[in-house]
Amino acid sequence: MSTVEIEIRPAQGADAAAIAAVHDAAWRNAYRGLIPGRELERMVERRGPSWWSGALRRGSRVSLLMFGGEVVGYASSGRNRASTLGVAGEVYELYLKPEYQGLGLGRRLFAAARGDLASRGLSGAAAWSLAGNDGACAFYARLGGRLAARGVEHFGDVTLEKFAYVWR
C-alpha cells in the first residue's frame, strides 16, 4: 500500500508555470460553452506564467494544493472588493485541475484560504461565481455559502450573471 501526500502551501515565484497550467485546464473545463470561445482563449492566454510571476511578486496571496508533489489546484484570497457584502475577506479564485475535482480537495483548499484570511484579520469571506457555472455554485452552497448578491460580468458582447456567496 502506498500513500500520496496532500499538502497546501503558499505559492512562490517558481510555481508560476504550474499555477498557469492549473488555471488553463480549470478555466477551459469550467467555462467552455459559457464564456464565448474567443474571450475565453484571450483570458486563458493572458494568465500565463509571466502574469502569475508578476502577481506573486506584487504580493498576491496564492495557496497551492499539492497532490503527490504536483500542483493540482490553487486559491487566491485577500480583502473583499465588495464592501456591501459585509465581510472583510474574499476568496478571489479557487480552481482545481478537472481530474482532481469531486474528491474533497476543493473543500480543503477553501478551508486553507479561509484560514489565511482569518490569520490576516479578515473576518468572514465572499466568493463570486458565474451563475451558469453550476459546479462552482453547488460547491459554494455545500460549503455553507449564503447567496448574498447578484451582479454581471461582460465578456465581449455577452453579459453573464454572477452570484456572490458569503460566509460570516
Side-chain angles (χ1 to χ4, degrees):
M1 176 185 245
S2 67
T3 342
V4 176
E5 183 179 4
I6 298 170
E7 173 190 10
I8 296 174
R9 66 167 176 82
Q12 302 168 354
D15 298 313
I19 300 168
V22 171
H23 177 268
D24 184 309
W27 275 50
R28 289 178 195 282
N29 182 64
Y31 301 125
R32 185 172 280 132
L34 187 59
I35 295 175
R38 185 172 52 175
E39 296 300 320
L40 178 59
E41 289 302 315
R42 286 181 185 157
M43 293 173 77
V44 169
E45 288 173 17
R46 188 179 75 228
R47 300 284 288 284
S50 62
W51 188 93
W52 285 103
S53 288
L56 293 169
R57 265 194 319 276
R58 289 186 302 277
S60 291
R61 298 288 282 249
V62 178
S63 298
L64 301 182
L65 176 70
M66 310 293 294
F67 187 87
E70 176 189 356
V71 176
V72 300
Y74 74 89
S76 63
S77 61
R79 187 165 301 285
N80 179 16
R81 298 170 289 185
S83 61
T84 58
L85 296 176
V87 293
E90 182 176 347
V91 177
Y92 303 133
E93 295 186 30
L94 189 149
Y95 291 103
L96 297 173
K97 287 184 175 179
E99 61 270 29
Y100 293 91
Q101 295 174 8
L103 305 173
L105 298 173
R107 181 178 293 272
R108 285 185 183 196
L109 188 54
F110 184 80
R114 292 275 323 263
D116 184 56
L117 290 170
S119 74
R120 292 185 276 159
L122 299 172
S123 62
W128 289 87
S129 175
L130 289 178
N133 186 346
D134 296 334
C137 292
F139 172 73
Y140 290 133
R142 280 192 309 274
L143 291 177
R146 184 179 57 80
L147 183 57
R150 296 170 187 258
V152 295
E153 285 286 332
H154 303 283
F155 301 95
D157 58 356
V158 173
T159 300
L160 299 175
E161 186 177 25
K162 64 181 181 177
F163 297 146
Y165 294 88
V166 297
W167 295 259
R168 301 226 183 262

